[in-house]
DNA sequence: CAGTATCCATTTCGATACTG
DNA sequence: CAGTATCGAAATGGATACTG
């Protein structure tokens, strides 16, 4: 068996062997976030196939990181964390914070509207929202597939995400370019300014329109200082190239 | 491009994309430890080929994690850390600590004597050692390849590791089973007790023999609490199988 | 829904040989 | 020493089809 495992007792090698496979950290992260069902995790991990997710969950279970409880009434299982898995929480957080701080911006092809919608549905400030049902429609432009629409339905403190028109009347419609939307989400742009300047538009009743920025909590990592040296260098180089 | 990259702006996905490839964390860890030369890193990362190390170093350089300075007098380069790379230090430490705490023990095939020797040469307490040259010979039994010999040569605060007899007279000869030696190194067994009970033997002048346990600093992670639930379970099951 | 089995394209990596 | 180029073997992972 040529290159399976690092063949070492070194603790870092052991940890890396089990955790540094494609999507594994993302899967654990979703379970840490509280996702319990297969498809819930599946939606929360970008571009993972059911085949791979299934395999990852099995391995993580055998490695003692997650638990799997078959459900009584329904088919399927509920996934949860073991102590070992829970111990990874702060490590994964610091990993993500590092990514926020040091990663380059992505190309447009990497700005997946579906994943932005999924992220938003996990970070809606339901405490600030009305008791009644609120239906928000998001329309992102500028992505590879042209226009992408999603609906978030908030009710009784619970938020659902729909890929198709959910049948309920839409209360708010938010439209904008996917790149600007992602940048606002990540905290690189000020959402209120984007709205005030009309680059992201909000349609609907005045009270809802006004409240919207308080409903969207944005990415949990917006506070992290950003330091991507190459980009400012690239920007300077580009600027020189233009002016020079 | 089927499955290259996760195609996401998610900070955790971005971090994982760059860092969660085979051996990448180990390579960065060696540079964090202060290794600067290609072969030095190569020896410190278990089972990495020159091809792969070369590729990893290039990627890490382009990703802005490590620096590479061509040397003036000699061939080759000196590798170092950027701010982004240095920022990973505490994260990699916590990763390794997690591995120490939660990983299962390894099979004998994974107990590589060469890597144990390499590890020891980085953790010799040179301040406690004589000014004069000290040559230690290690003879590990019980590994796949039968007997494995290594020499550590300490002089003037510097420690070298030799895979062949270095020509100098040997001051101390340490012999023992590779599994017990690794377990003592990792802090799972008490080194002094292993020596006292004759499972690890030390030959040489009395003062050196007595001082040896103070010279070997052991793994930097020996203090981490160990919690591997499955192993006690496995042990119980095995015990049941034997007795039942 | 919640997965699993199979097949195949793509990718990864080590061994070997080679260079200055 | 400090790598790089090439090649083939091994592993990975997506698509598809399938199940209860």
């Amino acid at each position: 068996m040529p290159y399976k495992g690092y063949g070492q007792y070194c603790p870092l090698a052991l940890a890396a062997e089990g955790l540094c496979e494609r999507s594994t950290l993302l899967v654990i992260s979703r379970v840490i976030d509280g996702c319990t069902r297969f498809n819930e995790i599946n939606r929360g991990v970008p571009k993972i196939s059911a085949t791979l997710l299934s395999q990852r969950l099995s391995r993580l279970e055998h490695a003692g990181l997650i638990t799997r409880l078959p459900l009584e009434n329904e088919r399927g299982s509920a996934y949860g964390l073991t102590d070992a898995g829970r111990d990874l929480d702060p490590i994964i957080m610091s990993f993500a914070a590092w990514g926020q701080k040091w990663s380059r911006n992505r190309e447009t092809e990497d700005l997946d509207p579906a994943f932005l919608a999924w992220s938003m549905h996990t970070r809606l400030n339901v405490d600030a929202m009305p008791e009644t049902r609120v239906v928000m429609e998001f329309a992102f432009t500028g992505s590879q597939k042209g226009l992408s629409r999603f609906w978030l339905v908030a009710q009784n403190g619970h938020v659902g995400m729909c890929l198709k028109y959910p049948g309920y009347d839409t209360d708010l419609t938010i439209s904008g370019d996917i790149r600007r939307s992602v940048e606002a989400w990540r905290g690189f742009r000020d959402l209120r300014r984007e709205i005030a300047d009309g680059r992201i538009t909000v349609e609907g009743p005045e009270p809802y329109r006004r409240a919207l920025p308080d409903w969207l909590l944005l990415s949990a990592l917006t506070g992290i200082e950003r330091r991507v040296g190459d980009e400012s260098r690239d920007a300077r180089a580009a600027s020189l190239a233009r002016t020079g």
Side-chain angles (χ1 to χ4, degrees), chain A:
Chain A
M1 63 187 87
Y3 47 96
K4 187 62 186 291
Y6 300 176
Q8 283 306 329
Y9 61 84
C10 162
L12 179 58
L14 293 174
E17 212 176 292
L19 299 173
C20 286
E21 293 169 308
R22 181 180 173 80
S23 299
T24 297
L25 246 25
L26 284 296
V27 171
I28 301 171
S29 177
R30 287 302 86 85
V31 181
I32 288 175
D33 291 347
C35 298
T36 58
R37 305 298 298 272
F38 187 90
N39 278 356
E40 198 181 0
I41 301 169
N42 203 168
R43 276 192 300 273
V45 178
K47 292 194 178 169
I48 196 173
S49 64
T51 310
L52 188 56
L53 177 56
S54 174
Q55 202 240 55
R56 289 290 183 261
L57 288 169
S58 303
R59 287 205 194 178
L60 289 171
E61 189 192 355
H62 284 116
L65 297 188
I66 64 173
T67 58
R68 172 188 186 144
L69 263 90
L71 296 173
E72 305 218 337
N73 308 327
E74 312 167 61
R75 308 180 189 291
S77 314
Y79 298 92
L81 285 176
T82 64
D83 287 345
R86 233 183 313 276
D87 246 22
L88 276 179
D89 189 356
I91 300 176
I92 287 179
M93 294 280 264
S94 58
F95 225 76
W98 185 91
Q100 169 83 348
K101 187 169 176 183
W102 293 109
S103 301
R104 295 159 167 271
N105 276 327
R106 301 274 82 188
E107 303 310 313
T108 307
E109 66 193 65
D110 286 335
L111 302 171
D112 180 352
F115 188 67
L116 175 57
W118 188 89
S119 302
M120 291 195 306
H121 113 276
T122 68
R123 300 272 305 165
L124 228 47
N125 186 5
V126 287
D127 294 335
M129 298 181 70
E131 299 272 315
T132 56
R133 180 174 60 224
V134 178
V135 179
M136 287 172 274
E137 177 180 341
F138 290 84
F140 300 117
T141 56
S143 76
Q144 301 252 306
K145 302 143 195 159
L147 182 69
S148 302
R149 285 180 191 282
F150 304 94
W151 288 263
L152 299 191
V153 180
Q155 189 166 22
N156 299 328
H158 176 265
V159 184
M161 168 185 164
C162 305
L163 306 174
K164 295 183 294 200
Y165 177 63
Y168 306 127
D169 281 348
T170 297
D171 298 301
L172 276 175
T173 303
I174 301 96
S175 316
D177 174 70
I178 181 63
R179 172 170 288 276
R180 291 199 101 84
S181 302
V182 163
E183 288 172 1
W185 172 258
R186 295 189 65 184
F188 304 158
R189 294 181 184 277
D190 181 56
L191 176 62
R192 288 163 210 275
R193 172 150 299 283
E194 295 301 303
I195 294 173
D197 294 354
R199 288 184 293 265
I200 292 176
T201 62
V202 185
E203 295 162 75
E206 163 68 12
Y208 280 13
R209 291 211 315 269
R210 200 199 316 254
L212 179 74
D214 296 319
W215 296 350
L216 297 173
L217 290 177
L218 305 187
S219 156
L221 296 167
T222 53
I224 305 280
E225 168 206 16
R226 195 97 194 297
R227 293 192 48 193
V228 184
D230 292 30
E231 267 175 335
S232 52
R233 203 169 63 209
D234 291 352
R236 275 202 306 281
S239 164
L240 274 170
R242 274 196 301 275
T243 60

